[in-house]
């Protein structure tokens, strides 16, 4: 059963006259008559009652007409979506914090690549401060930020999963044999922490004091760079798990206690007009997460 034949049948149903259907489709009348007869033979039913020049659908024909309309509509929609996918092109600029939840973004990018092969995604490692600046300047379409961060002028989708805060220390450190790190363990230590705005406030909430008992000797944007500082003996790095693979290295990661976790969100400017490529990415991610998109101008 071919779509072409179904379209012949659909035209005859609309006209209830083979001559008019043939003129409408720009094919010969014998061609349509032969195709309809072959269709009836294939289905094993009579679709039309014929009385001279006049034809009428049988009950089987009425049922088949409904199904044929649905099949043709689905085929047309699928073809339109494929053509649209071929036409959408461009670049999605995405600034991202280091977080395990970026895997969700990566999986959506993979699907986006399959549906829209002409879309390219640029991922730039960054922190929340830099992401906000680049969103406002238009350099980034989206950002993946570690919470907490100020989102009063941002649309956002919270990503699944969470990361646990801990301390990156050398394996030869006295702290390396600890199951967890407490505030008492940090007292008097040289600490390297994230430069992201809000991190210090989050840590203050964790240790319950306005003045830390440790000394912040350096800050970082990328935990990998912080890990090199730890290896060099500059201090211990506070960060989240799952970023640095400490296997076969001189470092180990020890979680904080009480437990302190962080979540991540995809953010973009409120009122921002997204490109077709950026909107396709956002739609793909929302579909993957089964979340509705925030109201926005598009």
């Amino acid at each position: 059963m071919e779509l072409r034949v179904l379209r012949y049948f659909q035209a005859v149903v609309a006209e209830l006259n083979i001559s008019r259907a043939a003129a409408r489709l720009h094919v010969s009348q014998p061609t349509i008559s032969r195709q309809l007869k072959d269709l009836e033979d294939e289905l094993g039913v009579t679709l039309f009652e014929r009385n001279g020049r006049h034809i009428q659908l049988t009950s089987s024909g009425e049922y088949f007409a409904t199904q044929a309309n649905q099949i043709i509509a689905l085929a047309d929609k699928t073809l339109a979506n494929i053509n649209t996918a071929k036409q959408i092109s461009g670049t999605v600029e995405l600034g991202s914090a280091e977080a395990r939840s970026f895997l969700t973004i990566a999986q959506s990018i993979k699907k986006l690549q399959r549906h829209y092969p002409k879309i390219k995604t640029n991922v730039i490692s960054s922190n929340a401060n830099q992401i906000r600046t680049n969103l406002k300047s238009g350099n980034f379409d989206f950002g993946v930020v570690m919470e907490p961060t100020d989102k009063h002028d941002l649309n956002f989708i919270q990503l699944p999963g969470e990361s646990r805060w801990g301390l990156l220390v050398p394996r030869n450190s006295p702290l390396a044999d600890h199951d967890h790190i407490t505030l008492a363990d940090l007292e008097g230590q040289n600490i390297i922490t994230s430069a992201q705005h809000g991190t210090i406030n989050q840590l203050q909430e964790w240790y319950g004091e306005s003045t830390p008992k440790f000394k912040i000797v350096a800050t970082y944007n990328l935990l990998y760079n912080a890990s090199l500082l730890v290896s060099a003996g500059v201090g211990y790095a506070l960060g989240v798990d799952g970023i640095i693979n400490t296997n076969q290295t001189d470092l180990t990661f020890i979680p904080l206690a009480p437990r302190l976790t962080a979540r991540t969100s995809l953010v973009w400017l409120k009122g921002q007009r997204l490109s077709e490529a950026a909107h396709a990415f956002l739609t793909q991610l929302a579909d993957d997460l089964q979340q509705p998109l925030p109201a926005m101008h598009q």
Side-chain angles (χ1 to χ4, degrees):
M1 189 185 304
E2 299 178 9
L3 283 174
R4 173 176 53 81
V5 177
L6 292 182
R7 294 187 193 279
Y8 288 169
F9 172 75
Q10 190 181 51
V12 173
V13 170
E15 300 291 344
L16 288 179
N17 183 285
I18 293 178
S19 296
R20 289 196 298 270
R24 172 177 166 180
L25 295 171
H26 305 290
V27 297
S28 68
Q29 181 176 335
T31 295
I32 290 187
S33 297
R34 184 175 63 254
Q35 294 288 358
L36 290 182
K37 182 64 171 63
D38 290 345
L39 180 61
E40 288 180 320
D41 291 342
E42 180 181 353
L43 295 174
V45 297
T46 300
L47 298 174
F48 295 99
E49 294 287 353
R50 295 164 175 83
N51 183 14
R53 295 184 178 179
H54 301 286
I55 60 175
Q56 191 69 37
L57 284 170
T58 64
S59 59
S60 295
E62 290 176 350
Y63 171 78
F64 186 73
T66 300
Q67 302 304 310
N69 288 339
Q70 293 181 8
I71 292 170
I72 291 171
L74 179 59
D76 289 343
K77 179 180 178 181
T78 302
L79 184 60
N81 287 342
I82 289 174
N83 288 334
T84 298
K86 290 180 180 177
Q87 293 169 4
I88 294 180
S89 61
T91 302
V92 179
E93 300 288 345
L94 176 64
S96 179
E98 295 176 299
R100 286 191 298 180
S101 56
F102 185 79
L103 179 59
T104 299
I105 299 292
Q107 291 167 341
S108 292
I109 290 174
K110 175 60 177 177
K111 293 180 182 178
L112 184 76
Q113 186 181 58
R114 185 168 65 248
H115 297 313
Y116 303 99
K118 294 184 179 180
I119 294 179
K120 176 184 176 183
T121 307
N122 290 337
V123 179
I124 302 95
S125 295
S126 189
N127 64 18
N129 304 338
Q130 296 169 338
I131 286 171
R132 176 177 290 278
T133 298
N134 281 282
L135 285 174
K136 289 184 175 181
S137 67
N139 291 330
F140 290 171
D141 297 303
F142 303 101
V144 177
V145 297
M146 191 78 70
E147 303 291 358
T149 190
D150 178 16
K151 299 193 293 293
H152 76 277
D153 57 349
L154 301 174
N155 289 313
F156 69 94
I157 295 177
Q158 192 169 77
L159 300 176
E162 60 183 19
S163 298
R164 187 170 183 181
W165 279 86
L167 199 66
L168 202 58
V169 306
R171 292 188 186 275
N172 60 5
S173 164
L175 298 179
D177 60 353
H178 286 40
D179 292 329
H180 55 266
I181 297 294
T182 66
L183 179 60
D185 296 321
L186 296 180
E187 187 169 352
Q189 303 288 356
N190 290 337
I191 298 299
I192 305 163
T193 188
S194 170
Q196 177 173 319
H197 179 73
T199 299
I200 296 300
N201 291 338
Q202 186 178 29
L203 290 173
Q204 286 175 342
E205 291 180 5
W206 173 71
Y207 56 68
E209 300 178 23
S210 59
T211 304
K213 296 182 178 180
F214 50 84
K215 181 181 179 182
I216 297 177
V217 296
T219 62
Y220 64 86
N221 288 340
L222 300 177
L223 190 56
Y224 176 74
N225 290 337
S227 72
L228 299 180
L229 293 174
V230 176
S231 294
V234 175
Y236 302 144
L238 280 168
V240 294
D241 62 353
I243 306 301
I244 302 298
N245 184 356
T246 59
N247 292 334
Q248 298 181 340
T249 71
D250 61 344
L251 303 179
T252 187
F253 182 89
I254 309 169
L256 299 184
R259 183 184 180 93
L260 179 64
T261 61
R263 305 200 68 171
T264 51
S265 296
L266 180 87
V267 299
W268 67 102
L269 284 180
K270 288 182 178 178
Q272 177 183 1
R273 184 173 181 83
L274 298 176
S275 68
E276 286 188 334
H279 190 264
F281 163 76
L282 187 61
T283 301
Q284 180 66 63
L285 178 65
D287 287 347
D288 291 343
L289 297 179
Q290 298 183 339
Q291 292 188 27
L293 288 176
M296 59 184 180
H297 299 292
Q298 174 55 37

